Amino acid sequence: MVTRSAARATAGLLAGIIVATLAPPAPAQAANGTIGERETVCASDLFVRTQPNGAWMGTLYQGQTFLVEGPRSGGYIYGFAYGHINRRGWVQDGWFC
């Protein structure tokens, strides 16, 4: 014989499992690049520039990669933009997964 408290506990457990299963994944957290690492772009788009806050020379999109070489300057980081850009340049730091 199943008691009411056991039935309620079972129902609560099942409800929790269903909610956890159907919950959307947590959004990716953006982070600063690590020098020497090939980082994945977490932003929807990330401008590659000739110098910190300089002229635009291309755009990296979410999922594309950037080899962080350094140095850092004024919120920007220097490195190599892979993909269709295939050039060295500066991007805003803090937009990597």
Side-chain angles (χ1 to χ4, degrees):
M1 179 174 193
V2 177
T3 65
R4 279 190 194 181
S5 62
R8 286 185 187 146
T10 302
L13 179 62
L14 288 175
I17 291 171
I18 290 169
V19 168
T21 303
L22 297 177
Q29 299 295 317
N32 286 335
T34 302
I35 293 176
E37 294 290 322
R38 186 170 173 173
E39 302 278 8
T40 301
V41 174
C42 205
S44 58
D45 53 36
L46 186 61
F47 295 156
V48 181
R49 299 183 178 276
T50 57
Q51 60 189 18
N53 208 23
W56 172 89
M57 60 191 228
T59 303
L60 286 170
Y61 296 98
Q62 188 173 34
Q64 292 184 315
T65 58
F66 183 82
L67 175 60
V68 180
E69 297 175 338
R72 288 185 162 84
S73 179
Y76 284 80
I77 188 86
Y78 182 79
F80 187 84
Y82 285 89
H84 61 281
I85 299 172
N86 281 324
R87 292 179 64 183
R88 284 182 168 76
W90 295 83
V91 297
Q92 275 190 329
D93 203 3
W95 296 103
F96 302 107
C97 297

